[in-house]
Amino acid sequence: VRTAALEVLGVFGIENEAVMLAAARDENAAVRQQAAYYLRIFASDAAIEALEKMLNDPNSNVRDSVKTQLEWARKEKARRR
């Protein structure tokens, strides 16, 4: 249910960044992984910082996903400049 809620919030954009930043620290790995996806889309300084911290996630699936999301976010941020 929480991952579906994040999907809905993510569609509405960066005004929900605070929710995604909190979700990046959720106890549920699927929620953290979903948050990483939207943080990469936002590609803000705060989003990239959160993704960098998530590289140390205890769940290997989250870590693997975050590596890709972080790379994409950095490219997106550079493109926007």
Side-chain angles (χ1 to χ4, degrees):
V1 173
R2 289 185 301 208
T3 56
L6 288 179
E7 187 173 339
V8 170
L9 291 171
V11 170
F12 289 105
I14 197 158
E15 60 271 3
N16 292 306
E17 183 178 43
V19 173
M20 297 303 169
L21 292 169
R25 298 182 309 274
D26 195 89
E27 65 187 30
N28 184 302
V31 171
R32 294 192 307 274
Q33 196 164 355
Q34 186 76 10
Y37 173 79
Y38 286 104
L39 289 171
R40 77 151 180 151
I41 292 172
F42 299 158
S44 67
D45 289 340
I48 290 172
E49 182 179 331
L51 288 168
E52 289 170 344
K53 289 179 183 176
M54 292 175 78
L55 289 171
N56 296 315
D57 195 276
N59 183 286
S60 63
N61 291 329
V62 174
R63 286 192 311 270
D64 290 344
S65 176
V66 166
K67 288 175 189 175
T68 302
Q69 306 303 352
L70 181 57
E71 181 181 334
W72 194 94
R74 287 176 174 154
K75 288 178 182 177
E76 179 62 17
K77 184 175 180 178
R79 186 189 68 78
R80 291 178 188 172
R81 289 185 181 185

